[in-house]
Amino acid sequence: MSKISKIALPLLTSILVVFSFSSPMVKAETSELKMNQNRQCIMCHKKNGNMYGLHANDALGQTCQDCHGDKGKHPRGESDLIGFSQSSPATVEQQTAACMSCHDQQELSEADWTHNVHSNKVNCAGCHQLHPEVDPIIGISESKRIASCVSCHESK
Amino acid sequence: MSPFHFDSLVWHWPIAIYLFLAGISAGAICFAVLLKHFKLGKNAYKSSFVRAACLIAPLAVFAGLGILVIDLTKPFDFWKILVFYNPTSVMSIGVAVLLIYQVALFAWLACLFKEPILKWCNNRWPVVDKVLNAFTKWEATITGLLVILALGLGAYTGFLLSALTTFPMLNNPVLPLLFLISGISSGAAGTLLGGVLMKGNPDGKEVHFIHNIEIPLILLELALLFTFFVGLILTGGQSQAAALNAIGEGFWGWIFWGGVVVVGLAMPLAFNLFMTASAKRKFSYVAITASCSLFGVLLLRNFILYTGQMTVA
Amino acid sequence: MKKERRQFIKGACASAFGVACVSGLGIAKSNAHKDKNETNCKYALIHDENKCIGCDACSVACREANDVPDGVSRLEIEREGPFGEYPNQFYRFTRKSCQQCEGKPCVNVCPTGAAYHDPSTGIVSVDEWKCVGCLYCIAACPYQIRFINPVTKAADKCDFCKETRLKEGRQPACVEACPTKALTFGDLKDPHSQVVEVLKATPNYRSKTELGTRPKVFRIASQEGEIKL
């Protein structure tokens, strides 16, 4: 074998290997994430149930019920399911507790001081959205950030 | 806290150098005047020590002003300081004193060097003769004015900082006196060092005269330094915090105890006493003593400027 | 004989210098008195630290209105905290900006008169053109709110939007921007102005008054927060 093929062969194979792994991964980010193959939930919640954000990452191995709670007899009977929003029947504390089962308060405090003063007053979904690919609060412009403060705090 | 970079720092080392140079100029010319009037008389201009003082005084003032102008954020607008005055501003009054001081300084130098100047002119320009004769007629006035302005300039370097209520350590009534005395002693050291470098006799009567004044000056400076810090500590509050922070452990504490107190004051005092007792003065003794003293004064200016700005009221 | 004359002249010089100093001080004093009587309008600002939420709407509005370059600011909200136990935590916010002192340490030290006290509004301002950048005012301000504007190279600071919003007949940018109405602006000399009403009705404080600054920025102390000894 020539010297060139000695170097080129492993190089080519490695490139191929990388590509073969990366291409399905790109796809997975959109619809083939394991979480979205959860037929039990997605069958009904097709429209807003799909999850594309960081939390859907296969490596995390999360399921819908990890955050939303036990399915119980849903949709026919009673269940402990909670929704994350202002209009959710779940209290702010309940909603926050679901997130805090993984997230550390100290870390959140260091990431942004406003976590400390809102945790028992505003639900996390008031500022964060986990279903879209990118949480819209991340990297928000200064003026938009202020606008979001003003949207609650404005006194007439 | 880094010794040279902290949030409350406004004025950096160029200001300390400016304060040092203004002080040494004032001190040197005071000694030139004293030497002429009490020791040397008409032939004062022949003495290397007087010549050194007469070189140091104008050069230090020019260099100081140059540093001050370069340190402005708008150096080309410096003329506005000379045109607009504010009677409540120490800096404004200081600039006025500095200007008149320079006029008096050159008038006095003209009187001092009258003979060599006239010799050099050799009657080529009769105006020079006239001007110099007029100066000589008013020499007593010029001398009086010059000494007062020099003392004013020395004190101004302290008032400039003591006007700042922001910083309790600088806003201290002893500071102008301390800077005046240390400025005069730096003038003495500058005169001695310059004099021996210009081949002056290290055992001459000028050296004896200056050393006799230097010893009480150093003692006075030590007393003032003591009063300065004890006063701050007894005031309590932020003044106390500032003083303890300055002379306590840390970079500036070392500078103060090692540089200002030991090298700048104790060593020159010991050398001076030794030289007075042994009555033997050599070039190296005089030069080393004067260098220590100059170094100490320069460190004192930097030390006060930096540590003073560390603690805010 | 000659020596006597010399001493006489020296004495004369000393006394002349002394007289000059005294007259200088006299001028200074008379100036101070003039300011006190001439002004019939004195703008003041109240920052209610209870209402402030630390959203920075004020400082962003200030930067836009007054064209303040990045890296420096005329107005900042300083945040202290968190105090208390999670999840019942809170912060304290204090306004860092020119206090519009009547004692005006910056004006007193300015060698050229670039820092001046406007007699018709009581506002302390900077004449950009006259400023040479000696930094004396920056060192003299006990609140440390002055800075060198990197564009103009002159000292700069809050002037209650005197050159921008007040000229348009509006309130200062920070006051208009505040979502919680934590800022109140008005004329202290007008007995019916909102500032006077709030100051009469609410306990308030000012910062570092012991230095003789007599600031015109008043603060309503946060009810929550740490008790400091």
Side-chain angles (χ1 to χ4, degrees):
Chain A
M1 257 202 287
S2 69
K3 266 188 183 172
I4 298 168
S5 56
K6 240 185 196 174
I7 303 164
L9 259 179
L11 202 72
L12 270 174
T13 43
S14 60
I15 288 170
L16 270 174
V17 166
V18 169
F19 265 89
S20 59
F21 274 104
S22 57
S23 45
M25 263 164 98
V26 171
K27 243 186 184 174
E29 266 173 34
T30 52
S31 64
E32 308 260 313
L33 286 161
K34 262 189 204 148
M35 194 176 231
N36 296 332
Q37 292 160 6
N38 177 351
R39 300 195 48 83
Q40 209 178 19
C41 302
I42 300 297
M43 234 169 43
C44 299
H45 298 280
K46 257 180 214 149
K47 268 195 181 158
N48 50 13
N50 274 318
M51 178 93 180
Y52 304 105
L54 266 179
H55 287 75
N57 195 312
D58 287 348
L60 271 179
Q62 281 201 332
T63 65
C64 307
Q65 298 187 10
D66 284 341
C67 295
H68 288 282
D70 210 20
K71 182 178 168 290
K73 292 178 180 163
H74 175 82
R76 266 168 243 123
E78 273 186 20
S79 75
D80 293 332
L81 284 174
I82 54 170
F84 297 96
S85 82
Q86 192 80 41
S87 52
S88 164
T91 64
V92 170
E93 280 88 353
Q94 280 174 322
Q95 294 185 39
T96 308
C99 303
M100 298 302 278
S101 65
C102 294
H103 290 281
D104 178 40
Q105 184 249 327
Q106 193 57 38
E107 254 171 59
L108 294 180
S109 163
E110 277 158 27
D112 197 299
W113 67 274
T114 50
H115 285 132
N116 289 330
V117 281
H118 288 123
S119 62
N120 57 353
K121 299 181 186 77
V122 181
N123 57 78
C124 303
C127 298
H128 297 280
Q129 285 179 44
L130 305 186
H131 280 249
E133 262 177 77
V134 182
D135 181 356
I137 202 87
I138 288 171
I140 193 172
S141 73
E142 200 173 20
S143 57
K144 275 189 181 156
R145 183 189 160 101
I146 292 168
S148 86
C149 302
V150 173
S151 67
C152 293
H153 285 283
E154 184 149 40
S155 64
K156 288 280 176 299
Chain B
M1 188 156 40
S2 148
F4 292 100
H5 298 279
F6 42 92
D7 280 347
S8 53
L9 182 68
V10 180
W11 275 342
H12 293 255
W13 56 269
I15 299 295
I17 300 207
Y18 160 68
L19 298 178
F20 170 75
L21 289 171
I24 198 175
S25 170
I29 208 64
C30 282
F31 277 97
V33 169
L34 289 174
L35 280 174
K36 184 184 175 189
H37 283 270
F38 292 105
K39 283 281 150 191
L40 304 169
K42 267 203 151 187
N43 286 327
Y45 72 89
K46 287 179 184 162
S47 156
S48 301
F49 294 93
V50 174
R51 285 183 182 180
C54 293
L55 262 180
I56 290 170
L59 288 183
V61 140
F62 290 153
L65 280 177
I67 289 174
L68 194 65
V69 168
I70 293 168
D71 203 43
L72 297 176
T73 61
K74 297 198 264 182
F76 295 108
D77 290 14
F78 77 94
W79 56 270
K80 286 172 189 165
I81 299 192
L82 309 177
V83 176
F84 303 108
Y85 280 88
N86 174 6
T88 62
S89 167
V90 175
M91 190 183 278
S92 199
I93 296 171
V95 167
V97 168
L98 248 159
L99 286 182
I100 311 171
Y101 167 79
Q102 288 180 61
V103 173
L105 175 66
F106 281 103
W108 189 80
L109 289 181
C111 293
L112 180 68
F113 292 104
K114 188 184 167 194
E115 256 181 64
I117 294 174
L118 288 181
K119 216 176 181 182
W120 182 75
C121 285
N122 203 10
N123 288 332
R124 272 175 291 185
W125 305 286
V127 194
V128 178
D129 290 54
K130 261 189 201 167
V131 171
L132 286 187
N133 282 330
F135 279 163
T136 325
K137 213 172 154 190
W138 291 94
E139 194 182 342
T141 315
I142 292 169
T143 311
L145 195 66
L146 178 63
V147 170
I148 291 160
L149 285 167
L151 295 180
L153 181 63
Y156 148 73
T157 60
F159 281 120
L160 187 71
L161 298 183
S162 76
L164 299 171
T165 48
T166 313
F167 305 109
M169 188 172 137
L170 299 179
N171 187 16
N172 183 317
V174 184
L175 189 65
L177 259 181
L178 176 66
F179 272 19
L180 172 63
I181 299 301
S182 82
I184 291 176
S185 73
S186 74
T191 305
L192 286 173
L193 185 63
V196 291
L197 284 176
M198 287 163 77
K199 308 230 158 52
N201 176 11
D203 205 17
K205 55 181 169 182
E206 298 99 325
V207 180
H208 285 257
F209 177 76
I210 294 177
H211 275 166
N212 276 338
I213 301 179
E214 226 186 345
I215 294 168
L217 273 181
I218 293 175
L219 291 173
L220 184 58
E221 212 182 320
L222 277 168
L224 284 172
L225 213 52
F226 181 77
T227 315
F228 182 86
F229 282 108
V230 170
L232 283 172
I233 290 168
L234 293 180
T235 305
Q238 285 298 89
S239 302
Q240 188 180 52
L244 295 178
N245 177 45
I247 59 175
E249 231 177 303
F251 175 81
W252 288 112
W254 281 105
I255 292 287
F256 177 74
W257 293 108
V260 176
V261 176
V262 174
V263 177
L265 293 169
M267 274 166 55
L269 183 64
F271 288 152
N272 272 331
L273 290 173
F274 169 74
M275 282 190 278
T276 313
S278 67
K280 194 84 191 121
R281 287 172 168 81
K282 281 195 240 160
F283 170 84
S284 55
Y285 286 178
V286 175
I288 290 174
T289 310
S291 304
C292 283
S293 193
L294 279 176
F295 184 64
V297 174
L298 184 59
L299 285 184
L300 175 72
R301 295 291 194 273
N302 276 290
F303 165 78
I304 297 274
L305 186 73
Y306 277 92
T307 55
Q309 292 179 79
M310 276 183 175
T311 311
V312 178
Chain C
M1 169 71 194
K2 205 182 167 196
K3 206 174 178 188
E4 269 175 11
R5 193 184 66 182
R6 189 175 291 152
Q7 280 189 334
F8 166 73
I9 292 168
K10 274 186 191 171
C13 286
S15 49
F17 193 69
V19 168
C21 281
V22 170
S23 61
L25 277 179
I27 294 166
K29 268 197 180 155
S30 65
N31 265 0
H33 279 293
K34 247 189 234 162
D35 285 354
K36 224 181 245 172
N37 300 329
E38 268 180 15
T39 311
N40 45 20
C41 163
K42 279 202 192 295
Y43 284 123
L45 185 81
I46 307 168
H47 180 223
D48 189 336
E49 292 167 2
N50 282 308
K51 288 184 181 165
C52 183
I53 55 164
C55 68
D56 283 333
C58 51
S59 48
V60 170
C62 170
R63 188 175 296 283
E64 272 171 30
N66 298 298
D67 228 351
V68 183
D70 284 336
V72 290
S73 40
R74 288 185 174 194
L75 163 61
E76 274 171 39
I77 296 293
E78 285 185 336
R79 189 175 63 239
E80 245 188 305
F83 301 110
E85 285 295 313
Y86 182 84
N88 294 306
Q89 287 182 306
F90 49 85
Y91 286 85
R92 251 207 308 223
F93 306 104
T94 37
R95 180 184 165 106
K96 190 180 179 197
S97 70
C98 176
Q99 305 294 298
Q100 299 294 347
C101 306
E102 285 291 294
K104 47 191 185 339
C106 53
V107 176
N108 292 341
V109 301
C110 178
T112 63
Y116 69 100
H117 181 257
D118 177 30
S120 61
T121 55
I123 294 174
V124 176
S125 295
V126 182
D127 180 339
E128 255 173 42
W129 181 82
K130 265 190 174 180
C131 176
V132 296
C134 68
L135 312 186
Y136 207 10
C137 59
I138 297 178
C141 173
Y143 305 96
Q144 303 201 291
I145 51 81
R146 288 182 157 254
F147 57 90
I148 291 293
N149 186 313
V151 177
T152 63
K153 304 276 179 212
D156 199 350
K157 65 169 196 74
C158 160
D159 60 356
F160 281 166
C161 289
K162 180 167 145 255
E163 300 302 321
T164 51
R165 295 304 177 91
L166 294 194
K167 269 195 179 159
E168 298 167 19
R170 295 166 68 182
Q171 298 249 306
C174 54
V175 178
E176 282 187 1
C178 181
T180 60
K181 304 241 184 318
L183 295 170
T184 314
F185 177 78
D187 179 9
L188 279 180
K189 292 275 169 144
D190 172 6
H192 305 294
S193 70
Q194 213 192 337
V195 263
V196 173
E197 274 171 21
V198 173
L199 288 178
K200 277 183 178 169
T202 326
N204 57 74
Y205 75 102
R206 293 177 293 168
S207 174
K208 296 188 183 179
T209 46
E210 70 277 9
L211 299 174
T213 48
R214 295 190 289 144
K216 291 198 293 288
V217 169
F218 297 81
R219 303 146 187 273
I220 295 172
S222 174
Q223 302 292 310
E224 295 176 311
E226 194 183 31
I227 292 169
K228 274 187 194 160
L229 284 178

